[in-house]
Amino acid sequence: MSHEVRAVVARSKGAPVSVETILVPDPGPGEALMRVQACGVCHTDLHYREGAIGEDFPYLLGHEAAGVVEAVGEDVTDVVPGDFVILNWRAVCGRCRACRRGQPWYCFDTHNARQRMTLKDGTELAPALGIGAFAEKTLVAAGQCTKVPQVRPEAAGLLGCGLMAGLGAALNTAPVSRGQSVAVIGCGGVGDAAIAGARLAGAARIIAVDIDDRKLALAQTFGATHTVNSRDTDPVTAIRELTGGHGADVVIDAVGRPETYQQAFHARDLAGTVVLVGVPTPDMKLELPLLDVFGRGGALKSSWYGDCLPSRDFPMLVDLYRQGRLDLDAFVTETIALDEVEKAFEKMHSGEVLRSVVVF
């Protein structure tokens, strides 16, 4: 049996998305059918629409989602119908070399639903990040469903990608220690989440860097103790001045451009850590003096999905949200309908929102 539902589809590179009726099959072995309650509009969805991730059009967009499991296939035991879940795009296999050496957050064989969702004419859809949740219902691998306590789905769903990337960059990848100084370059949703993560970790000084004073003001609400407008001030000089001339212990690049990475590299203290969490485009190249890489020591890290283990991190972060220690609601700028996703992309470009969230 298939379910006819409305969904957001990107049919071709750079073209506006459309809302169409798609067919979602019942779950087979190892799969789960989810009724989506909310799904955030992430930059990654825009990258898919623009063809910056692949050319496997048509894409079924959406991946920062929370909702309720409606049905499960054979051999599924971790979730049951009625469970409230956050979807994740790293369904840990438990068998690859990363999993076997006790580092499942680097799982090299994450899996998705085997069956494909389709347009009504039978054309197969490629779900964004293996999820495709700008839809009233979606089919995923059961391992992509992480059960958490029932909370506001608009907020919880954002942990499925962008907020987890930022929080995890600070809490898992760096990881930030109590009393350290932290600088975050780029104060969109991911950067602000990194700031919130640094505060949770107990950082003593958190420096927010951006070119937009509106974003810098908002960064302070998430925990930034100092702000630097890099349109007016050299951020490397400013970060050094704010850290006794030494540089920050941890610098997180939430932009992902060669210029911002070079700033992060030179703004860290000796033996400090740089974390790249902003996603570069395939054409970008980085040039650094190799002697400086050697001489400054420390660590240059990339953060994949915040190096998260969804089964460990999602419930923990939801608990912090319920305790009032992590304000996920503050990341939800607006709630929108399914047919407003294209407008949300425009607002994203202009920096008007942290997250627009589709609600069903």
Side-chain angles (χ1 to χ4, degrees), residues 43-300:
H43 275 86
T44 303
D45 295 305
L46 183 57
H47 291 330
Y48 271 105
R49 194 202 72 172
E50 295 301 305
I53 293 179
E55 298 284 346
D56 197 17
F57 292 95
Y59 285 110
L60 173 58
L61 300 185
H63 58 280
E64 287 185 344
V68 175
V69 174
E70 193 163 279
V72 298
E74 296 177 17
D75 304 322
V76 175
T77 57
D78 289 344
V79 292
V80 298
D83 282 348
F84 179 74
V85 298
I86 300 171
L87 293 185
N88 71 80
W89 46 268
R90 177 170 284 164
V92 173
C93 74
R95 300 179 302 275
C96 72
R97 60 192 185 280
C99 289
R100 291 199 307 270
R101 69 185 180 216
Q103 295 178 309
W105 48 89
Y106 292 140
C107 179
F108 301 131
D109 192 24
T110 59
H111 46 277
N112 307 126
R114 294 181 181 178
Q115 300 181 86
R116 298 297 288 266
M117 294 174 277
T118 68
L119 297 172
K120 290 190 74 174
D121 65 5
T123 301
E124 291 188 348
L125 293 163
L129 291 177
I131 291 177
F134 284 150
E136 294 162 329
K137 296 180 183 181
T138 190
L139 183 73
V140 295
Q144 294 178 277
C145 297
T146 303
K147 182 179 178 180
V148 297
Q150 174 74 56
V151 291
R152 184 186 179 206
E154 298 95 307
L158 301 185
L159 291 173
C161 186
L163 297 198
M164 187 67 253
L167 287 161
L171 294 170
N172 297 332
T173 310
V176 175
S177 299
R178 291 188 299 276
Q180 284 190 316
S181 58
V182 178
V184 177
I185 300 175
C187 298
V190 173
D192 282 343
I195 289 169
R199 180 171 65 176
L200 281 171
R205 182 161 298 198
I206 305 172
I207 304 163
V209 180
D210 203 281
I211 60 173
D212 187 330
D213 285 331
R214 296 172 304 168
K215 291 184 177 181
L216 291 171
L218 187 57
Q220 290 179 297
T221 69
F222 290 106
T225 58
H226 300 78
T227 62
V228 175
N229 188 320
S230 57
R231 188 186 296 277
D232 307 321
T233 305
D234 176 61
V236 176
T237 301
I239 291 169
R240 288 189 171 279
E241 289 177 350
L242 290 167
T243 53
H246 304 300
D249 297 308
V250 175
V251 185
I252 297 172
D253 178 5
V255 178
R257 294 187 57 84
E259 309 94 292
T260 53
Y261 192 88
Q262 288 172 340
Q263 291 168 354
F265 178 80
H266 292 292
R268 66 182 178 130
D269 197 357
L270 286 172
T273 298
V274 173
V275 177
L276 174 63
V277 64
V279 182
T281 58
D283 60 302
M284 291 180 180
K285 306 292 182 183
L286 178 67
E287 184 173 324
L288 289 171
L290 191 57
L291 183 60
D292 284 354
V293 174
F294 172 78
R296 298 188 64 80
L300 307 178

